[in-house]
Amino acid sequence: MTDTTSNQPVAGTAADRARASELSAAGRFLKATELDTRMLGMVGALLVIWVGIHILSGGLFLTPRNLWNLSVQTSSVAIMATGMVLVIVMRNIDLSVGSVEGVIGMIMGVAQAEFLIRVIGFQLGNPWLWVIALAAGVVLGLLIGAFQGFIIAYMEVPAFIVTLGGLLVWRGMAWLITSGRTVAPLDATFQLMGGGPRGSIGATASWIVGIVACAAVAFALLNGRSQRKRFSFPLRPVWAETLLGVVACAAILGAVWIANSYPWPIGIVRQYAQQNGITIPEGGLFIAHGIAIPVLMAVTVGIIMTFITKRTRFGRYVFAIGGNPEAAELAGINTRWVTMKVFMIMGVLAAISAAISSARLNASTNALGTLDELLVIAAAVIGGTSLAGGAGTVMGAMLGALLMQSLQSGMVLLGIDSPLQSIVVGAVLVIAVWLDTVYRKRV
């Protein structure tokens, strides 16, 4: 008995020590690499979803074809999600982004397919068609954002009410512009922003982009280390920075390899070529030449928005206002002007998303952007943006958009009905907010 009773505590103590050593090892790893645990959890959840859907779909999900299409489908929502981060961080909301996307898409479609040709006299294929149409859309998005932002910031009407009204007004405006008519086809160059057989940059250029991105990652790590030395900040271990660089470059080059591995069926390419007066060689498969243009646009927007939020005075003001609006105003920050600028940025991003969505469809329809506001808000919240304000990341929102689109794409592959898809998306959003609440209570 004595041996038995004495051995049990020893075994328990040994197990506790092993568990404590494991936890401390994990803690030391996270401390050394300075990785965000929430971001790691999101990446883990995304991988679980991908593997689960791939198994359930019989190996259809994790294929170059589906992943290439998934990246294109995610682009428009991801772009708007980067702006929604700023809106929610400031304790506001924008329910109108889907309708703004729809009305701007219709304006751009009418401009290039009808107005510039029939009224102004431009010829089909004129290189200025898509430039003017895109510029008009961006300016309109800026004006719509400024209008709504002015009402919210200076007239002190709650953002929920203003943008809810905008959801109805801009959707109605999109219908009135053409009396419900679909506008198509769009300019051939404009269509490149939607992806498709010609909407990518080529295999060689994709590898160049990947190598340049890896070089940028290495430069960022080295520059960050030199800045830490300069200001006597704690340095990460060399092995940790090396590991981060290797993993990041592996992910980048892996994405390029997948993008270069998706072949387009020759029939689709020939049909596209006939519609746009393009001659292609006979025989074989036409390879989808690398990274899609809308994906590059989304990545570029993500980099710019990350720079704005982390490296500019405006970005610091946004987070300061979201953390404590009264203190920010007492500190001398022009909170009204900052709020208005955030909604102006949101309008511009909605215009870019409208260009991508309409270009992908090769048409401007009244359904464009319908319910996208819910996907955008869900992406931002799932990505770690707090509805209480003051916290959120652009990268997290883009990962959230990818997660949401992965769920939708996976459910389509599994043949799940549309109503059940809505139930799943709604449940995921509620669970994400609940997890955010639990996390913040523990922190």
Side-chain angles (χ1 to χ4, degrees), residues 333-410:
I333 299 174
N334 190 342
T335 57
R336 294 183 176 185
W337 176 229
V338 172
T339 301
M340 186 171 170
K341 284 197 288 187
V342 165
F343 280 91
M344 291 166 68
I345 292 173
M346 188 72 253
V348 171
L349 295 177
I352 297 173
S353 294
I356 291 174
S357 298
S358 57
R360 185 158 59 91
L361 295 173
N362 190 22
S364 296
T365 70
N366 286 282
L368 187 69
T370 301
L371 296 182
D372 273 9
E373 59 275 354
L374 302 183
L375 295 177
V376 171
I377 294 170
V381 174
I382 290 172
T385 305
S386 174
L387 291 171
T393 63
V394 169
M395 180 60 68
M398 298 187 79
L399 277 176
L402 180 59
L403 190 148
M404 294 296 295
Q405 192 60 52
S406 297
L407 278 175
Q408 285 200 318
S409 176

Side-chain angles (χ1 to χ4, degrees), residues 239-255:
W239 68 262
E241 295 201 343
T242 303
L243 177 64
L244 291 175
V246 169
V247 171
C249 289
I252 292 169
L253 297 179

Side-chain angles (χ1 to χ4, degrees), residues 83-106:
M84 190 61 71
V85 170
L86 300 183
V87 174
I88 297 178
V89 160
M90 291 191 67
R91 306 187 185 186
N92 290 312
I93 199 73
D94 192 343
L95 301 175
S96 68
V97 289
S99 297
V100 172
E101 179 188 0
V103 71
I104 293 176
M106 188 61 73

